[in-house]
Amino acid sequence: MNKKALIAMSGGVDSAVAALLMKKNGFDCIGITMRLFSNDDVGVDNHKSCCSLEDAALAEQAANRLDIPFYVFNLAEDFKKQVIERFITEYQHGATPNPCIDCNRYIKFERLFSRASQLGMDYVVTGHYAQVEEDPITNRFLLKKAADATKDQSYVLYAMTQDQLRRTMFPLGKLIKQEVREIASQHGFANAQKPDSQDICFVKDGDYASFITQYTQQDYPDGNFIDTQGQILGRHKGHIRYTVGQRKGLGVAFGKPMYVCAKNPENNTVMLCENSELFTHTLYAKDFNWIPFDVPKEAMRVKAKIRYSQQEQWATAQIADSKNGTVHIEFDRPQRAIAKGQAVVLYDGDIVVGGGTIA
């Protein structure tokens, strides 16, 4: 009997080719698209969202071309609770969240695996650029970088559990993007040259502050810009409109370049500093997920990245609090604009050691 695979199909070229490769490898496949929100509800242009009606139609076309069953799962309520509202809450508390990580963690894998189990499927398959391998010595499953370094998505997958890794396949992990597009063209997929989705899918034109204001129907009042000594420098237009490291759009002239270095929602202040003051060697991370082992017994040398697009940097990581699992990370060189709420992900070569939320 053939193994069964549930293919998450977004309407993009990557998931379509992932489905094709799984079928070619003899799997019984079912394609599904996740309805995560209504574009009208969040004010997103259909042509710019990764969850539009057009995308669902493209996913269905690809499934029909492959002659595999296709369904749409309505996960809008889960997405609202686990992604949109987490995103808003984090911003309201002065953090800079990464909703793509929450979507992968709570929707694309947690909820998708639940549905896969209900349907009796052996594997969940996505078009992510990453690889899963089993360690023959420890028998643990490892998350590894993709062959295409320019498309590697291991950073946003760090929260995957051993059970999820055991039952997940990433067919594109050993391919480069151009190869994927060529395969799609050869098989007549309508989305072969479809551009990759950009930015946050539920936020129109990247204007997260307007989205939060509209969604919550709350007012985020003006407050004080202050320096690192607490001196008032001017007025800001609501703390949710600023992110750590920001220089442009402050709306106040200071006579020298000034950057956002911290936000305090409790007293509605936004702290500014000079560029040199944005650098620090140290961070603490919470909600940490270790992959090759349960918990490291001693300090370990790793490479770490504090944002998706950053080059990895040498650092030392160790458990700071064994009770709550907080991890202390000390970089060899100071890092610029470390932002609370973003993810820090640790690597040992191509292997993802683990990751957590910067606290």
Side-chain angles (χ1 to χ4, degrees), residues 227-247:
D227 63 18
T228 55
Q229 307 303 314
Q231 300 297 312
I232 295 175
L233 301 175
R235 298 286 288 176
H236 67 68
K237 297 180 180 180
H239 70 84
I240 65 165
R241 299 185 181 279
Y242 306 90
T243 57
V244 173
Q246 179 180 338
R247 175 188 174 187

Side-chain angles (χ1 to χ4, degrees), residues 6 32-36 71-76 112 115 119:
L6 187 69
I32 68 99
T33 287
M34 294 173 285
R35 182 180 181 273
L36 302 181
Y71 303 96
V72 176
F73 290 170
N74 188 344
L75 300 178
L112 210 51
R115 293 295 181 95
L119 293 171

Side-chain angles (χ1 to χ4, degrees), residues 111-289:
R111 297 298 296 131
L112 210 51
F113 269 104
S114 176
R115 293 295 181 95
S117 295
Q118 292 170 7
L119 293 171
M121 309 304 287
D122 300 297
Y123 294 98
V124 166
V125 177
T126 74
H128 283 101
Y129 286 81
Q131 300 185 70
V132 177
E133 292 182 7
E134 184 176 5
D135 187 325
I137 298 176
T138 65
N139 294 322
R140 289 181 72 95
F141 285 79
L142 306 176
L143 175 63
K144 302 182 70 174
K145 295 178 187 175
D148 188 342
T150 66
K151 300 300 295 182
D152 175 57
Q153 293 172 296
S154 59
Y155 175 86
V156 298
L157 299 170
Y158 77 82
M160 293 186 70
T161 66
Q162 281 295 301
D163 184 57
Q164 289 169 348
L165 290 168
R166 182 180 297 108
R167 298 173 56 207
T168 297
M169 288 189 173
F170 299 127
L172 309 188
K174 296 185 183 300
L175 302 177
I176 63 171
K177 184 72 177 198
Q178 187 55 38
E179 290 177 310
V180 172
R181 291 200 184 279
E182 289 171 1
I183 292 170
S185 294
Q186 291 165 5
H187 289 81
F189 288 137
N191 56 14
Q193 300 304 320
K194 185 176 183 288
D196 294 337
S197 57
Q198 302 290 332
D199 299 322
I200 301 171
C201 64
F202 56 86
V203 177
K204 184 177 182 180
D205 298 326
D207 189 354
Y208 58 86
S210 293
F211 169 78
I212 293 172
T213 301
Q214 176 184 337
Y215 192 93
T216 63
Q217 294 295 297
Q218 293 182 26
D219 180 38
Y220 297 90
D222 296 359
N224 289 326
F225 281 126
I226 61 173
D227 63 18
T228 55
Q229 307 303 314
Q231 300 297 312
I232 295 175
L233 301 175
R235 298 286 288 176
H236 67 68
K237 297 180 180 180
H239 70 84
I240 65 165
R241 299 185 181 279
Y242 306 90
T243 57
V244 173
Q246 179 180 338
R247 175 188 174 187
K248 295 182 179 179
L250 300 182
V252 182
F254 302 103
K256 59 182 177 181
M258 296 292 283
Y259 301 80
V260 175
C261 58
K263 301 187 294 181
N264 187 333
E266 292 182 2
N267 59 25
N268 195 25
T269 58
V270 174
M271 183 180 292
L272 305 179
C273 65
E274 296 186 45
N275 185 60
S276 61
E277 297 175 281
L278 285 173
F279 289 81
T280 181
H281 280 91
T282 300
L283 67 80
Y284 289 86
K286 62 182 181 179
D287 299 328
F288 219 86
N289 181 54

Side-chain angles (χ1 to χ4, degrees), residues 343-355:
V344 57
V345 179
L346 312 182
Y347 292 87
D348 178 6
D350 289 339
I351 298 172
V352 177
V353 176

Side-chain angles (χ1 to χ4, degrees), residues 67-114:
D67 193 26
I68 64 175
F70 176 80
Y71 303 96
V72 176
F73 290 170
N74 188 344
L75 300 178
E77 282 302 312
D78 292 307
F79 188 81
K80 176 181 177 181
K81 178 181 178 181
Q82 300 288 5
V83 180
I84 295 179
E85 293 183 356
R86 283 177 184 272
F87 172 81
I88 291 172
T89 299
E90 288 294 297
Y91 256 110
Q92 290 174 328
H93 287 83
T96 306
N98 190 324
C100 294
I101 290 175
D102 284 340
C103 184
N104 281 313
R105 183 174 191 172
Y106 298 109
I107 305 299
K108 291 181 180 176
F109 291 100
E110 186 174 290
R111 297 298 296 131
L112 210 51
F113 269 104
S114 176

